Amino acid sequence: MPDLGFDIAHMLAGSLVLVSLMMLYQDRLPALINVFAVHAMLLAGSVAWQAYVQDEPQLYITSAIALGFKGVMIPMALRRIIFRLGIHREIEPVVSTGLTMLAGMALVALAMVVMLRATPEATPLAREDLAFALSVLLLGLLMMVSRRNAVGQVVGFMSLENGLILAATGARGMPLVVEISVAFSILIAFIVIGIFLFRIRERFDTVDVQVLDQFRGERP
Amino acid sequence: MTPVDFSLLCNAALLLLAPVAVAIAAARPAAWRAIYLVSLVLTFTMAGSSIAFALSGAPASSEIFPLGIPWIGAHFREDMLSAVFLAVVNLGAAGASFYAIGYGKHEAAPGRVLPFYPLFIAAMNLVILSDDAFSFLLSWEFMSLTSWALVMAHHRSETNRHAGYVYIVMASFGTLALLLAFGLLAGPEGNYAFETMRGTAPAAAIGWLVLLLVLLGAGSKAGIVPLHVWLPLAHPAAPSHVSALMSGVMTKVAIYAVIRIIFDLAGAPEWWHGMVVLVLGGITAAIGVLHALMEHDLKRLLAYHTIENIGIIFIGLGLAMAFQANGMGAAAALSLTAALFHVFNHSLFKSLLFFGSGAVLNATGERDMEHLGGLIHRMPQTAFAFLIGCAAISALPPLNGFVSEWMTFQAILLSPSLPQWGLRLAVPATGALLALSAALAAACFVKAFGVSFLGRARSPAAARANETDIWSRTAMLIWAGLCLLFGLFPALAIDALGPAVQSLLNSRLPAQAEIPWFLLVPIAGSRSSYDGLLVFMFITASVLLSVAVIHLLASRAVRRGPIWDCGFPNPTPLAQYSAGSFAQPIRRVFGTLVFRAREKVAMPPPGDMAPAHFDVDIHDLAWEKIYVPVAAGIEFTAGRLNGLQFLTIRRYLTLVFLALVALLLVLAIWT
């Protein structure tokens, strides 16, 4: 069955996009983090499948990193953070769920149109993968833009990075060194952002970034 | 050694002269002579070699160095066209250096002038020698920056700083336009060498855009209206020998860029391209000379006349493009020869006039003509040379300015045989503008010479003026001699321009040197001809004859009576006819339309002892209607965008996000 490899890769990447869309309308932080964990695990599965299909064993390491760091460690750490900050029960006002979802769907369509037209000579697998990766990336950006809470923005950033990794593995052979360094830089960014979250909280009693604007005198 | 190697070697020597100048000027203030002498020798040999090359008609020589963009290298080439312009530049530079050997004594801050002077000359030469877009733009920008440094030599004065600022803004804008023009010519493959640009003809829309960008880029350097605003500010601000270089020579480098790109690189021009250039030239000539008439500062007046003469040259270029597009080779050759000859002539007499104004400035400390007067008694040789320059720029026979303007008119008279109605109407209209500007130029130089050198001194400084030094005087007299020489024997220059015109248009004027009696016959003997020598001999003979007749037949009785006081019994020099009085009739005719000139007379009522006032209010519409609104628009936009510096992280993210989506949308729609 020559097409099974393509079908499964397609399914995994497609569900990644689906989970990205799911993240858009999560208005409670613990639920958001759970969905993010699913996102990362799906990424790990997708990368592992790519490793199997392309017969490139080092991609298994990428997959393991994705699973370990993003699927387990970061969600756990985030969960600890929100519980320590005591914002796990807060309902985050999402900018009009319906509108955001519509915008997300438009972005996915845009990504498909652009990528499928721009890469006519690539293999179908790479084309689909790139299109889905661009969708995930755009949805991650949309989430960073539409969230007011700093934790929500961090999760958006992480899911954006998942899109990058998906694109890189689909395009055959991102060197392992690059992959590991990207993973570590993400981790470090996560740590720095985590520390900042506490500092912000200490000073302003909230992690709602709108309050920062008020502090700067931008808004009354 | 090939000609291009020789020129490059001389330019390398000029570039090396700059650090020497820095070292010497600090240690020994009197070292200016050595620097100018070396510049003189180098530029003179370069002028000689390029003239010899232009006369030989030898094939172009080129040189490639592994500098600049790695996969292209730095190309240099000397062909017939560059040889002509190298001759103009280096002859002008040799004259300025010769003049400066004497003039440099008066320089207050030689350390600010000496290092940049040879660099400026070398930069102009390198622009002409460049054979790829990168070297060309690099040399072009180097030329702008070194000349800017020379404009800022006397930077303590507020007006000079303003001039320098306007100049650097306009120069950067011009370089940007040229950069875009070369980018369009190079195409998507990035063929930045001129050799490959020559081989590929751009599409019609690209050709139109290239013309527009060249007119913006090189035109702003040359001083086309309405891009001329920096020129009357910057040229007079520099020391006088540099003013001569900038006005007489640097504007010609811009003309070279126009000719090189339009006639050589951009393929065959269309007829309406020629019409655009032609009409711009006509407007430039008329506006330039009207501004000059309103001006009472001697050096600024000369700078405005540069604008006028650039207009005349552009009329020639536009005619050449129009004729060439219609396959009229002989007429195109006549127009281009006229333009190139005017390039050469203007470099001669404009240098001469700036030398004269520098001598006046040194002798009196004044540039304002209303404070001069009577200088012919104090500085007779300067006055004589300046008079020759005035006659040449006013296009009076038998001097050189007449020949090139006459040839331009001959080309205009060929316009009825053009097939397009647009051209048939536009060319005679431009001819009318050219005739108007020639007449007004003559009026303007009657004013300039009459008010500065004739009459009585209007200030104590003018009354105490002393004749300038021997070097400056010699330079001025030699240049006056050259003006006369090429007026009497224009065939010398026209035949030397032949190979350059031939290389661009595939046709040239018939050789003039073989026609007997130094007659100039551009088209056919039955149509028109001109003999400068004959006119000169007639003028000389009739003057001698009338002098003889007066001396022989006039009464020798002497009668003494009161001099006619022009209705002004008050004998102070201030009651003389002034530059303002001279300009008034012309200001009243054209000024209300072109300058929105308003006159205000404040007459105190009877019994009031207050003095009466007469004020003239003149507006430069190009500045007020174009530059001020553009500057205000930029200021407004910048003020609005200022807010972008103080956004929140989320808004920055939104901006990035929206930009990304917009780019993707463009990609999705356009591919």
Side-chain angles (χ1 to χ4, degrees):
Chain A
M1 277 197 294
D3 279 335
L4 185 67
F6 173 71
D7 285 342
I8 291 182
H10 203 163
M11 188 198 74
L12 286 171
S15 26
L16 210 58
V17 175
L18 195 69
V19 175
S20 276
L21 282 168
M22 280 167 64
M23 272 197 278
L24 280 180
Y25 65 83
Q26 301 300 327
D27 55 0
R28 282 173 190 271
L29 286 175
L32 180 66
I33 290 166
N34 288 342
V35 179
F36 172 69
V38 175
H39 198 263
M41 285 170 188
L42 271 174
L43 175 76
S46 172
V47 173
W49 183 251
Q50 291 281 2
Y52 172 68
V53 172
Q54 296 178 15
D55 199 16
E56 296 213 25
Q58 75 264 35
L59 280 184
Y60 285 116
I61 304 176
T62 309
S63 166
I65 292 173
L67 190 70
F69 277 139
K70 295 201 177 137
V72 181
M73 273 178 65
I74 289 179
M76 276 171 62
L78 273 176
R79 189 173 285 275
R80 266 175 60 93
I81 287 175
I82 58 169
F83 275 93
R84 276 185 55 189
L85 291 173
I87 53 175
H88 55 287
R89 284 182 208 285
E90 279 182 21
I91 295 174
E92 197 193 9
V94 179
V95 191
S96 169
T97 315
L99 257 176
T100 321
M101 291 300 289
L102 277 178
M105 267 143 56
L107 285 178
V108 173
L110 179 69
M112 293 290 162
V113 170
V114 169
M115 267 307 168
L116 294 187
R117 266 202 221 156
T119 57
E121 64 275 350
T123 60
L125 181 62
R127 285 176 79 185
E128 292 288 343
D129 248 11
L130 281 177
F132 284 133
L134 185 61
S135 314
V136 172
L137 202 149
L138 288 175
L139 289 173
L141 257 178
L142 179 64
M143 195 163 124
M144 286 180 82
V145 169
S146 64
R147 297 277 160 163
R148 276 179 52 190
N149 189 301
V151 177
Q153 290 183 345
V154 172
V155 174
F157 179 62
M158 298 282 162
S159 76
L160 185 154
E161 202 266 340
N162 287 352
L164 284 180
I165 292 188
L166 183 65
T169 53
R172 270 186 190 272
M174 176 159 79
L176 191 63
V177 184
V178 178
E179 161 58 27
I180 290 177
S181 52
V182 168
F184 270 100
S185 62
I186 294 292
L187 193 69
I188 287 167
F190 171 76
I191 293 167
V192 171
I193 292 171
I195 292 169
F196 265 97
L197 280 179
F198 282 104
R199 304 289 302 174
I200 292 169
R201 161 70 183 229
E202 262 173 38
R203 193 169 281 259
F204 302 109
D205 280 340
T206 175
V207 285
D208 186 340
V209 287
Q210 214 154 7
V211 180
L212 296 180
D213 297 354
Q214 283 168 14
F215 178 73
R216 287 199 333 183
E218 302 257 321
R219 238 174 257 147
Chain B
M1 187 184 278
T2 58
V4 68
D5 286 341
F6 182 73
S7 305
L8 285 172
L9 210 63
C10 288
N11 280 310
L14 276 175
L15 290 175
L16 285 178
L17 197 57
V20 176
V22 171
I24 291 185
R28 294 185 52 199
W32 82 89
R33 268 179 217 277
I35 302 294
Y36 287 128
L37 201 62
V38 176
S39 308
L40 169 66
V41 171
L42 285 171
T43 50
F44 193 73
T45 48
M46 252 195 291
S49 93
S50 48
I51 290 172
F53 179 60
L55 289 175
S56 74
S61 60
S62 55
E63 194 68 60
I64 302 176
F65 296 108
L67 302 168
I69 303 181
W71 60 94
I72 296 173
H75 296 239
F76 292 99
R77 183 162 175 271
E78 185 166 348
D79 60 2
M80 286 295 124
L81 180 68
S82 21
V84 166
F85 276 90
L86 280 179
V88 170
V89 166
N90 287 308
L91 208 58
S97 309
F98 193 96
Y99 173 79
I101 293 175
Y103 181 82
K105 186 172 60 179
H106 310 286
E107 182 58 55
R112 293 184 183 280
V113 177
L114 285 180
F116 298 113
Y117 180 78
L119 289 182
F120 179 40
I121 299 174
M124 291 191 288
N125 280 318
L126 287 175
V127 169
I128 293 172
L129 286 169
S130 299
D131 197 37
D132 67 290
F134 182 76
S135 327
F136 185 96
L137 287 170
L138 193 72
S139 320
W140 181 271
E141 195 63 7
F142 190 49
M143 173 178 88
S144 298
L145 287 178
T146 43
S147 55
W148 173 78
L150 289 166
V151 167
M152 295 292 277
H154 303 153
H155 64 112
R156 303 254 178 239
S157 124
E158 173 63 35
T159 50
N160 285 4
R161 285 202 299 275
H162 175 65
Y165 176 70
V166 176
Y167 177 38
I168 197 92
V169 169
M170 290 298 288
S172 319
F173 169 74
T175 311
L176 175 70
L178 277 183
L179 177 74
L180 295 177
F182 280 123
L184 283 176
L185 282 174
E189 292 85 31
N191 298 320
Y192 286 101
F194 285 176
E195 199 58 55
T196 41
M197 282 188 202
R198 257 178 221 119
T200 50
I206 300 278
W208 164 230
L209 264 178
V210 166
L211 175 77
L212 192 76
L213 288 169
V214 168
L215 286 178
L216 282 176
S220 71
K221 187 65 95 193
I224 289 187
V225 173
L227 301 167
H228 66 283
V229 286
W230 64 273
L231 198 148
L233 301 173
H235 285 191
S240 290
H241 57 298
V242 179
S243 303
L245 269 186
M246 289 179 76
S247 231
V249 175
M250 188 175 73
T251 52
K252 306 306 177 296
V253 178
I255 300 279
Y256 165 81
V258 172
I259 296 180
R260 174 63 78 193
I261 295 176
I262 290 181
F263 285 90
D264 192 15
L265 301 181
E270 303 203 25
W271 65 269
W272 55 276
H273 290 184
M275 196 164 101
V276 170
V277 175
L278 180 77
V279 171
L280 267 180
I283 294 173
T284 303
I287 299 280
V289 74
L290 283 173
H291 268 295
L293 267 163
M294 301 303 122
E295 196 53 63
H296 306 320
D297 176 323
L298 197 52
K299 285 179 80 173
R300 289 189 63 172
L301 180 145
L302 293 177
Y304 274 121
H305 267 286
T306 300
I307 298 173
E308 182 227 340
N309 281 283
I310 290 295
I312 296 174
I313 294 166
F314 265 87
I315 291 176
L317 294 181
L319 282 171
M321 288 162 75
F323 285 126
Q324 182 72 2
N326 285 304
M328 300 163 69
L334 170 62
S335 321
L336 189 61
T337 311
L340 288 177
F341 192 27
H342 201 73
V343 162
F344 176 63
N345 289 339
H346 182 247
S347 81
L348 287 182
F349 51 65
K350 189 46 62 74
S351 298
L352 167 59
L353 288 169
F354 265 113
F355 296 163
S357 71
V360 170
L361 178 61
N362 268 344
T364 62
E366 284 291 344
R367 275 163 46 179
D368 190 347
M369 291 194 292
E370 308 283 27
H371 296 154
L372 299 174
L375 290 177
I376 195 168
H377 305 296
R378 310 287 308 177
M379 317 170 70
Q381 295 184 24
T382 304
F384 174 71
F386 198 83
L387 180 63
I388 299 276
C390 288
I393 199 173
S394 312
L396 294 184
L399 294 164
N400 57 351
F402 174 78
V403 186
S404 43
E405 287 200 30
W406 179 78
M407 286 170 68
T408 312
F409 271 115
Q410 292 304 319
I412 286 174
L413 291 178
L414 289 174
S415 67
S417 49
L418 283 165
Q420 289 91 3
W421 273 105
L423 278 174
R424 279 196 223 172
L425 293 173
V427 175
T430 315
L433 283 176
L434 179 59
L436 174 74
S437 55
L440 289 178
C444 188
F445 277 97
V446 169
K447 175 183 99 172
F449 186 80
V451 175
S452 311
F453 288 92
L454 305 182
R456 287 163 59 192
R458 290 178 178 80
S459 67
R464 283 193 309 270
N466 286 320
E467 182 62 283
T468 182
D469 58 280
I470 179 82
W471 292 96
S472 308
R473 262 180 295 159
T474 317
M476 284 189 276
L477 289 175
I478 292 176
W479 252 242
L482 285 177
C483 285
L484 185 64
L485 176 73
F486 286 102
L488 297 182
F489 308 109
L492 294 176
I494 290 171
D495 286 348
L497 294 173
V501 175
Q502 172 83 40
S503 71
L504 293 174
L505 300 177
N506 284 324
S507 55
R508 53 169 290 180
L509 286 187
Q512 305 287 331
E514 289 144 23
I515 304 171
W517 297 108
F518 305 107
L519 202 62
L520 189 63
V521 184
I523 311 157
S526 58
R527 196 179 168 101
S528 56
S529 58
Y530 167 72
D531 193 330
L533 192 62
L534 198 67
V535 173
F536 181 63
M537 276 156 52
F538 175 74
I539 292 173
T540 321
S542 53
V543 166
L544 290 178
L545 200 67
S546 37
V547 168
V549 165
I550 290 169
H551 272 266
L552 286 177
L553 303 182
S555 159
R556 297 198 177 273
V558 175
R559 184 175 55 135
R560 288 187 183 275
I563 42 171
W564 183 53
D565 54 11
C566 299
F568 291 99
N570 188 352
T572 68
L574 288 178
Q576 292 178 99
Y577 209 57
S578 70
S581 340
F582 202 98
Q584 192 192 35
I586 294 164
R587 191 179 64 232
R588 287 198 173 159
V589 175
F590 298 102
T592 37
L593 181 70
V594 184
F595 305 114
R596 284 222 206 125
R598 298 279 179 278
E599 292 177 3
K600 277 199 274 303
V601 181
M603 192 64 83
D608 190 348
M609 298 294 282
H613 275 288
F614 175 75
D615 289 313
V616 181
D617 190 24
I618 285 183
H619 300 268
D620 183 349
L621 293 187
W623 181 260
E624 285 170 19
K625 296 286 170 201
I626 300 176
Y627 291 86
V628 173
V630 166
I634 291 173
E635 181 91 39
F636 177 78
T637 323
R640 280 300 156 104
L641 294 181
N642 213 3
L644 281 182
Q645 296 185 55
F646 308 104
L647 293 184
T648 60
I649 288 181
R650 213 179 111 205
R651 289 207 194 137
Y652 279 127
L653 276 175
T654 315
L655 277 183
V656 170
F657 178 64
L658 290 180
L660 183 65
V661 169
L663 286 176
L664 286 175
L665 271 177
V666 169
L667 200 64
I669 292 166
W670 275 36
T671 47

